[in-house]
Amino acid sequence: MANKCLSLAIHGGAGAMAGADYGAEQAHMRGLIEAGRDRLAGGASALDVVTETVEALEASGLYVAGRGASPNSVGRFELDASLMDGPTRRAGAVAALQGFASPIRAARAVMDRTPNVMLAGEGAAAFATAQGLTPAPPAWFTPVHARETASPGTGTVGCVALDETGALAAATSTGGIGGKLYGRVGDSPIVGAGVWADSRVAISCTGFGEYFVRAAAAAQLSFRMQLAGQGLGDAADAALADVVALGGWGGLIAVSATGEIAMPFRSQGMKRAALYPDGRIISEVF
């Protein structure tokens, strides 16, 4: 039986600086939420909607992901992405991918067309080439990191969704920290750290990635719900508090199987938008 409780949330990173104008991002996120709402209402799967939404975030050039990614320490653009399907726990990821416009599309291809979860570096690029994915020369990128130097590397983007069948899915994509070490990989492509989806909840994280990895933040949130019986809000706050206790900061978005949404952050701001089960839409930064 179809579940008419539709929910959707997106983030554009927890690196927002107090006092900056994010009007363009807020309008863009609201438009993506409206488009995602219509896709979900039309019967699209949560997995397809999170893939499409993150691809649009990457292509916009407004966030530190996809076109807006920043160069690493040797001037190259290395992109990371992952996604996860809640009902099956299938997952796909790419890390340190160079030369392609949409790392989330590459991650989806890893999920759908290989028995693997993650491909990295030159192997990921060779696979993306074989799949006919859209190439992106260095001149295609338009870094936006300079505006967010006070909060480096947190223009990561993500999307979580609950569809009419009750299925959950999550996706995350990033260009990483500006000037990062060549080959550095953060939490965004790591299942359990920067992304997670199962039968209870879907999560996408943003922030200082190393601390999200050390906290297993995304999976921890789900396990708190399952093993400790915590509600979504309390579990999200506790997982993020663990990140902060280690010395990190950032935020996350999460949606539960009942359509509840949590979007906590521990930073100056987090670009975020959501569709609630009652049809209400928000798009906020601070």
Side-chain angles (χ1 to χ4, degrees):
M1 180 178 295
N3 167 28
K4 294 302 183 182
C5 178
L6 305 177
S7 292
L8 178 67
I10 62 178
H11 71 75
M17 295 173 60
D21 180 6
Y22 293 99
E25 288 88 339
Q26 284 183 263
H28 184 248
M29 291 188 299
R30 176 174 287 275
L32 291 181
I33 288 289
E34 291 171 347
R37 172 198 61 198
D38 294 346
R39 288 280 287 135
L40 289 170
S45 70
L47 183 61
D48 283 346
V49 169
V50 299
T51 304
E52 294 162 3
T53 303
V54 168
E55 184 178 20
L57 289 162
E58 293 171 337
S60 72
L62 291 171
Y63 316 92
V64 189
R67 192 168 195 182
S70 299
N72 64 14
S73 59
V74 296
R76 300 180 184 179
F77 296 90
E78 291 186 310
L79 310 181
D80 306 324
S82 62
L83 73 168
M84 193 167 184
D85 178 53
T88 63
R89 283 201 244 177
R90 291 188 306 135
V94 290
L97 175 67
Q98 295 186 47
F100 290 87
S102 179
I104 199 63
R105 278 295 172 189
R108 179 68 184 269
V110 172
M111 171 194 281
D112 288 343
R113 303 171 192 171
T114 82
N116 309 118
V117 169
M118 181 187 289
L119 296 178
E122 292 181 2
F127 173 75
T129 298
Q131 298 303 311
L133 299 183
T134 304
W140 179 81
F141 293 91
T142 57
V144 298
H145 179 264
R147 188 175 69 181
E148 299 188 349
T149 52
S151 299
T154 52
T156 297
V157 301
C159 182
V160 294
L162 171 69
D163 66 29
E164 67 177 12
T165 72
L168 292 157
T172 305
S173 179
T174 192
I177 295 173
K180 64 186 179 182
L181 286 176
Y182 183 26
R184 179 263 185 186
V185 174
D187 68 308
S188 294
I190 298 177
V191 173
V195 74
W196 184 263
D198 56 25
S199 62
R200 289 174 298 277
V201 64
I203 305 127
S204 174
C205 299
T206 171
F208 204 135
E210 280 72 6
Y211 294 94
F212 283 80
V213 172
R214 290 164 59 187
Q220 180 189 149
L221 193 165
S222 177
F223 296 159
R224 284 180 174 277
M225 294 176 69
Q226 178 187 14
L227 303 177
Q230 292 183 334
L232 178 66
D234 288 343
D237 287 342
L240 195 52
D242 193 26
V243 170
V244 173
L246 292 173
W249 48 271
L252 61 86
I253 56 173
V255 59
S256 74
T258 60
E260 185 182 4
I261 291 173
M263 299 189 290
F265 59 92
R266 302 292 183 271
S267 59
Q268 292 185 45
M270 182 174 74
K271 289 158 277 185
R272 62 200 187 278
L275 165 72
Y276 290 88
D278 62 5
R280 179 170 54 100
I281 290 176
I282 65 158
S283 183
E284 300 174 340
V285 178
F286 303 107

